[in-house]
Amino acid sequence: MPLSDAAGYPVWANALIFLAAAAVVWISGGRLTRHLDAIAAKTGMEQVFVGMLLLGGITSLPEVANTVTASSIGNPALAVNNLLGSAAINVLLLAVVDGFVGRAAVTSIVARPSTMMMAALCMIVLILIAAIITVGDVMIPGIGVGVGSLAVGAAAIFSFWLAAGHDRRSPWSVDEDGDGRPDAEEAEGQVEPDLTLAGLWWRVALDGALIFAAGYALSQTGDAIATQAGLTSAIVGFALIGAATSLPELVTIVAALKLGRPEMAFGQVLGTNFVNLALLPLGDAVFRGPPLMETLGSFETVSALLGATLIGVFMVGLLEHRDRTIWKMGVDSAVVILIFAAGSAVLAMI
């Protein structure tokens, strides 16, 4: 029963596989966050670094599977809109979880300058994508990859590297009460202190493998359900597949905020976006035809700008650094939700 033939299965079968894969992602994602938090405690790694590099990289595995699959079958709109949809939805999830988990506005308890650096750089990469789609792309002879997609991939990787080391280079000093971690009584039982570092890494590898397999199942069955429902590739990629492949991010955001690790949550969201956007050259290389970004249009332009706008709202909140709440969430989180709703309505009309 190969998932590549999911479009030929009954809708109820695809729905059951989708729900089972979502359950695997939920359980594995929660464990992954706790294990990585334990590794950070044992090694002294910063929460932002753990969130951006480790959580961000591992939770991007479903997007890797979907980008390669969609591009190889000649559906670049599905591949790119999955990446852009995930970029916007990941930020939306951070806002939603802020209302359910946080006792204060999540941006009021984030202090590391690297978080703001990540936000600024992620906005730049998304705006670059919108600009290249508007201007057009050309193929690099002999490589089979467009100049534009290669530039986006290079910009995402460079931004990832620049943000990762920003705290060490920054002249800013962090003045905060405590370290944002729960007290010893609250943290008890959240991690397994008896596990060795090697044991924790093995568990991280297992969780990552489960998330990759479940993410692939989510993307394949989600695409099949959408096809059976008669939806377009752009909407499917942005909304359904983007939401499905963002399930690992939802689980890890919830777990990170419950552990009192807001830096890890932000690092995970923005790090995942960097990794996802760096996949564009891979999709371009697999796609047989003109430059991948040359096949895109106004839908993808608006998608990219929507993601940049949502990140920009949170960046304002990070700079303001005030605990202003509405509807049990930060004002900036509420604005993010409203803008996402408006942006989705615009996309539905394109």
Side-chain angles (χ1 to χ4, degrees):
M1 193 173 177
L3 288 178
S4 57
D5 299 327
Y9 304 158
V11 175
W12 63 264
N14 284 323
L16 285 178
I17 296 172
F18 188 94
L19 291 174
V24 171
V25 166
W26 185 268
I27 295 170
S28 299
R31 285 199 313 241
L32 175 67
T33 306
R34 293 192 297 272
H35 293 149
L36 287 175
D37 183 62
I39 289 173
K42 286 178 179 289
T43 61
M45 286 190 293
E46 295 178 353
Q47 294 177 30
V48 175
F49 180 79
V50 172
M52 183 174 68
L53 180 60
L54 300 178
L55 269 177
I58 294 172
T59 55
S60 290
L61 291 174
E63 282 83 1
V64 175
N66 187 71
T67 299
V68 172
T69 302
S71 298
S72 64
I73 62 175
N75 197 341
L78 182 64
V80 175
N81 281 292
N82 173 30
L83 301 179
L84 296 177
S86 293
I89 291 170
N90 289 344
V91 182
L92 172 70
L93 293 177
L94 186 57
V96 172
V97 175
D98 182 25
F100 284 95
V101 176
R103 301 182 183 93
V106 69
T107 50
S108 71
I109 51 178
V110 173
R112 299 289 177 183
S114 58
T115 305
M116 285 174 274
M117 173 64 82
M118 280 191 290
L121 291 171
C122 198
M123 288 174 62
I124 291 172
V125 175
L126 286 166
I127 293 171
L128 175 63
I129 291 174
I132 293 172
I133 294 173
T134 302
V135 174
D137 198 5
V138 294
M139 187 74 78
I140 301 176
I143 299 181
V145 177
V147 174
S149 62
L150 197 62
V152 170
I157 294 171
F158 176 74
S159 297
F160 195 104
W161 170 82
L162 189 63
H166 181 68
D167 281 338
R168 294 189 299 271
R169 300 187 307 270
S170 176
W172 292 23
S173 61
V174 178
D175 183 14
E176 56 181 334
D177 296 328
D179 60 359
R181 293 174 178 264
D183 56 33
E185 183 178 350
E186 184 181 352
E188 185 178 357
Q190 291 179 334
V191 297
E192 299 87 343
D194 56 322
L195 287 177
T196 64
L197 189 59
L200 287 168
W201 279 117
W202 275 111
R203 293 196 176 198
V204 166
L206 175 61
D207 291 332
L210 289 172
I211 287 174
F212 177 80
Y216 176 76
L218 285 171
S219 65
Q220 293 300 307
T221 55
D223 182 33
I225 292 170
T227 300
Q228 291 165 340
L231 301 176
T232 64
S233 293
I235 289 292
V236 170
F238 181 88
L240 186 59
I241 307 301
T245 56
S246 290
L247 274 175
E249 284 79 9
L250 172 61
V251 182
T252 53
I253 291 169
V254 171
L257 291 184
K258 282 186 174 180
L259 286 169
R261 313 294 195 262
E263 307 281 1
M264 184 185 291
F266 267 95
Q268 188 268 338
V269 167
L270 297 172
T272 298
N273 285 353
F274 283 136
V275 175
N276 288 350
L277 299 178
L279 295 175
L280 277 173
L282 175 62
D284 203 354
V286 175
F287 177 60
R288 296 179 179 274
L292 184 145
M293 296 189 71
E294 185 69 20
T295 65
L296 308 177
S298 57
F299 188 98
E300 290 76 21
T301 301
V302 174
S303 299
L305 293 177
L306 175 60
T309 303
L310 299 181
I311 295 171
V313 172
F314 265 137
M315 189 171 180
V316 172
L318 290 168
L319 291 168
E320 282 284 322
H321 206 63
R322 297 181 183 180
D323 186 16
R324 294 178 175 175
T325 59
I326 182 174
W327 305 325
K328 297 183 179 180
M329 66 179 69
V331 172
D332 43 13
S333 293
V335 172
V336 163
I337 293 173
L338 293 174
I339 291 177
F340 182 87
S344 298
V346 173
L347 288 171
M349 292 186 294
I350 296 178

